[in-house]
Each structure stands twice: as C-alpha cells, then as structure tokens.
Amino acid sequence: MQAGNAIERSHKNISEIANLMLSESHFPYVLFLEGSNFLTETISIKRPDDRVVKLEYNLGMLNRLDRLTSANYGMPINTNLCKNKFVKHKDKTIMLQATSIYSQGNGGKWEAQKMFDIMMEISRTSLKILGSEIFNQITKKNR
C-alpha cells in the first residue's frame, strides 16, 4: 500500500473512533508505524552494491511522520497518550483525544512482544481511568 493511502486511512479511522468516544475521558487508540517513511532519527542504510545511503528523518520528501502527528496534536511520539488532555481557553474547556503514535526510530520492524507491552500499558491506563470514574460516581451517589 502506498504511504499516502495508509496515512489517509489512519486519519479517517482515528476520526471515526474519536467520534464514538467523545463522552469518554480516555482514547486508547494506538498507531504503530514502521519503515523508512516514519523515521525518528537519521539512519544510514548499506545497499546491496555496498553504497551507503543516508536517510534524513527531517526531510519531508521521504519522511511522512509529520503527516500523522496532527492526530496527537504534536505531542511526543512513542508515548502513552491514552488519558485525554483538557485545555482551558477563556471560559471554555477543550478536550483533546490524542492518538498514541509509536514509531521505530531506525525504520525497522516491530516485534510482537514490544507491541503487546505497549498495548497492555495503554489498556491498564484505560482501566485505571474507567475505575476512577466508577469510583467517583459511587462516591457521589452515596453522599
């Protein structure tokens, strides 16, 4: 699949799930990126002809990571952003549902165990938030 199509599909999927979760205080959407289109650091690749090619992470022609960071409001990647952020502006409070974006820094492939660990961390965060909300509702009800 072409990178542009995958990026567009990601934005569509994120928006759809965000709409479904507007009443929630958490957004457990995780996006795993891999390959040389999603670098977080400059790397050098040795080609079969022994030529070394330098891939710059900050060159827009190759790197497409910046096309997805709008889904996490420019917050850090490789970070659990499951808990919604609330921003005050004048007399309004705005809720940000940020996607947790994880990318391999060297353009490599994800190991299943590493992905599992990240998803478990985000699941625990979601459950903590849900548990806290249930506890607050019970406490409020018993007053």
Side-chain angles (χ1 to χ4, degrees), residues 19-30:
N19 286 337
L20 291 172
M21 297 196 68
L22 279 173
S23 62
E24 301 294 336
S25 298
H26 64 115
F27 189 61
Y29 198 100
V30 185

Side-chain angles (χ1 to χ4, degrees), residues 12 17 56 61 122 143:
K12 178 194 166 294
I17 299 300
E56 301 279 346
M61 286 176 31
I122 289 173
R143 285 185 197 170

